[in-house]
Amino acid sequence: MTDSFTETMRRECSAIWDAQLAHPFVVALADGTLPQATFQFYILQDARFLTDLAKTFAFAATKTDDRDRILKFGEFLIDTVRVERALHEMYAERFGLTMAQMAATPMAPTSYAYTRHMLQVAATGSLAEVVTVMLPCAWIYAVIGEHFTALGEPPTGHPYRDWLAMYANPDFAAVGAWLRAVVDDEAARMDDRGRQRLRDIFRTSSEYEWRFWQMAWTREGALSARDWEVTLARTKKP
């Protein structure tokens, strides 16, 4: 049986996807050993990311006249804000933060770069391109949730049990499946140049997904003015 176009894109990026499943942040998150401070950094950045993801769904709705698709994109927008925000609110309470404090968190450089990539494609791209730029996010989270819960149900005391349960939920996997169907449908009517553009977008988003885990693992942050001064001093010749 021939792979669909989206399955082909994923296969072409298999090394990037496999690296995500093996990333120390993801492994530690799954086994419950991830330090809370590291997870907190991730949650704060993820909350900022999801705001721009919701905007990208809004852009997608403007790229089609199909009312069923417009309705679906609207539902995904609302779910992104409502359902995943509920998870963040739970963790915010656990961390002693308000949602306003979460919203005011500065974006780490990788988070900023990923969302600018996403919004640039959303603003200028076709329907297929806008959906493709979001697809790795929707798809890889379902893969991670399914992969680690398949190894065994997280124990009751697991600190990130709710996170794993959310992304292992078949309802979440259905979002990625629907997005894949849209891309496959649109790609079938595109020429080779158009499909290559989708491949490039998919690969870039897949790479940013890996970089997002790495950003969280290292707690990447913008350098302060003092950091820049020290860096500059080290690079000056005697």
Side-chain angles (χ1 to χ4, degrees), residues 98-126:
T98 66
M99 292 303 293
Q101 288 172 317
M102 292 183 76
T105 300
M107 278 189 171
T110 294
S111 183
Y112 182 83
Y114 188 4
T115 54
R116 294 322 96 176
H117 157 67
M118 192 165 60
L119 290 173
Q120 190 275 335
V121 172
T124 64
S126 65

Side-chain angles (χ1 to χ4, degrees), residues 117-150:
H117 157 67
M118 192 165 60
L119 290 173
Q120 190 275 335
V121 172
T124 64
S126 65
L127 173 64
E129 291 169 358
V130 178
V131 178
T132 298
V133 81
M134 298 185 285
L135 183 55
C137 175
W139 199 352
I140 189 62
Y141 271 69
V143 168
I144 288 173
E146 293 168 1
H147 175 77
F148 286 108
T149 54

Side-chain angles (χ1 to χ4, degrees), residues 6-214:
T6 52
E7 288 169 337
T8 298
M9 289 197 297
R10 176 181 170 179
R11 188 181 66 250
E12 291 170 348
C13 296
S14 60
I16 302 170
W17 283 52
D18 290 346
Q20 292 188 62
L21 291 175
H23 194 283
F25 179 97
V26 176
V27 173
L29 176 63
D31 66 21
T33 61
L34 186 70
Q36 179 175 301
T38 303
F39 184 72
Q40 179 174 331
F41 180 94
Y42 161 79
I43 284 293
L44 291 171
Q45 292 300 316
D46 193 47
R48 293 296 310 273
F49 173 87
L50 288 173
T51 297
D52 287 336
L53 179 64
K55 294 177 184 178
T56 305
F57 278 122
F59 272 108
T62 70
K63 307 288 183 175
T64 178
D65 292 325
D66 185 315
R67 292 186 178 184
D68 289 336
R69 285 182 173 179
I70 292 172
L71 180 61
K72 204 71 173 177
F73 288 130
E75 290 173 355
F76 291 157
L77 187 162
I78 292 170
D79 284 346
T80 299
V81 174
R82 180 184 294 161
V83 178
E84 298 200 49
R85 179 175 177 171
L87 185 69
H88 289 153
E89 286 177 339
M90 180 192 69
Y91 282 116
E93 183 177 354
R94 184 179 300 178
F95 301 148
L97 299 172
T98 66
M99 292 303 293
Q101 288 172 317
M102 292 183 76
T105 300
M107 278 189 171
T110 294
S111 183
Y112 182 83
Y114 188 4
T115 54
R116 294 322 96 176
H117 157 67
M118 192 165 60
L119 290 173
Q120 190 275 335
V121 172
T124 64
S126 65
L127 173 64
E129 291 169 358
V130 178
V131 178
T132 298
V133 81
M134 298 185 285
L135 183 55
C137 175
W139 199 352
I140 189 62
Y141 271 69
V143 168
I144 288 173
E146 293 168 1
H147 175 77
F148 286 108
T149 54
L151 299 178
E153 186 72 18
T156 303
H158 193 296
Y160 311 118
R161 177 186 175 92
D162 293 331
W163 190 97
L164 290 168
M166 178 173 180
Y167 294 113
N169 190 312
D171 290 343
F172 184 81
V175 175
W178 189 86
L179 295 176
R180 293 197 298 276
V182 171
V183 175
D184 287 333
D185 179 61
E186 294 294 314
R189 295 190 293 275
M190 299 173 73
D191 58 20
D192 289 344
R193 182 176 180 180
R195 285 190 288 271
Q196 184 57 51
R197 170 68 176 154
L198 299 185
R199 283 186 166 92
D200 293 341
I201 291 171
F202 186 87
R203 175 172 288 276
T204 299
S205 289
S206 294
E207 290 173 348
Y208 271 125
E209 282 297 317
W210 183 90
R211 291 179 185 278
F212 205 93
W213 302 124
Q214 182 67 10

